[in-house]
Amino acid sequence: ESQSPSREVQARGRWAAAGRSSPRAMAEEVCSHIPCILTYGGHARDIALNYAALAVTLAAAAYALYAHVRAAAPAERRARVAWNAAALAGVCAFQVGLCLALGCSGISIVWNAVVGAAVMQQLALRAPAPREAGAAAPPARMPQPSPALLVALTALGAAGLDVYYAITAPALTTMAHAGAVALGALLVGAELCTLRPAAWVAGRARGGPLLDSS
């Protein structure tokens, strides 16, 4: 995760002076507790950039999710909102655990995962849901460009911030960001594969029509 080069250089100087060359000792010197992780060790620019990115990406992902589930049955809607909330909590826990283990600081894995999830949600929103053989086609929906535009602009902004960190932070940070985007997309893909078929099965068992949440 993100570390200011100046803090890293200062920490290396302290390790060398103290005869501590272990990478683990170096990590612990940089950031070894949750308040330090969540506040970038007090680095104001990183705090401002990353918490702004988190707020914007969460808003975009929430809107994409809303656009995706608003036509679903209440039970499916509740299940999918719960799934997304649990996935977000899991990514947050992963971020904190990773930084406790490595001595890094930041929340950028979280907002990059949210970007991946938002993009995947929007792709799923625009893809038609599969229908049972012989079933009538669902009614046409009005075009909804706003969620797509919001997600696209959010993804572009997040990519710009990732490029900034690719230039100013170690290469491992960029690798973590790319992995986080993929993680967010995979979590939403797993949600769609798990919850939507279950909802269709439940609808058929009740003798009702197929759910159309696409």
Side-chain angles (χ1 to χ4, degrees), residues 73-126:
E76 183 189 3
R77 186 161 55 245
R78 287 191 298 269
R80 296 191 56 198
V81 170
W83 177 293
N84 280 266
L88 177 61
V91 172
C92 291
F94 173 74
Q95 168 82 86
V96 172
L98 181 67
C99 283
L100 286 173
L102 300 181
C104 62
S105 63
I107 58 167
S108 58
I109 283 178
V110 178
W111 58 257
N112 273 286
V114 171
V115 168
V119 171
M120 188 68 176
Q121 284 282 7
Q122 189 57 36
L123 291 174
L125 172 66
R126 299 179 66 85

Side-chain angles (χ1 to χ4, degrees), residues 3 48 53 72 97 166 182 197 210 214:
Q3 290 180 13
L210 293 175
S214 61

Side-chain angles (χ1 to χ4, degrees), residues 31 33-41 47 51 95-96 105-107:
C31 223
H33 53 90
I34 292 176
C36 178
I37 291 168
L38 298 181
T39 61
Y40 286 86
I47 293 171
Y51 278 94
Q95 168 82 86
V96 172
S105 63
I107 58 167

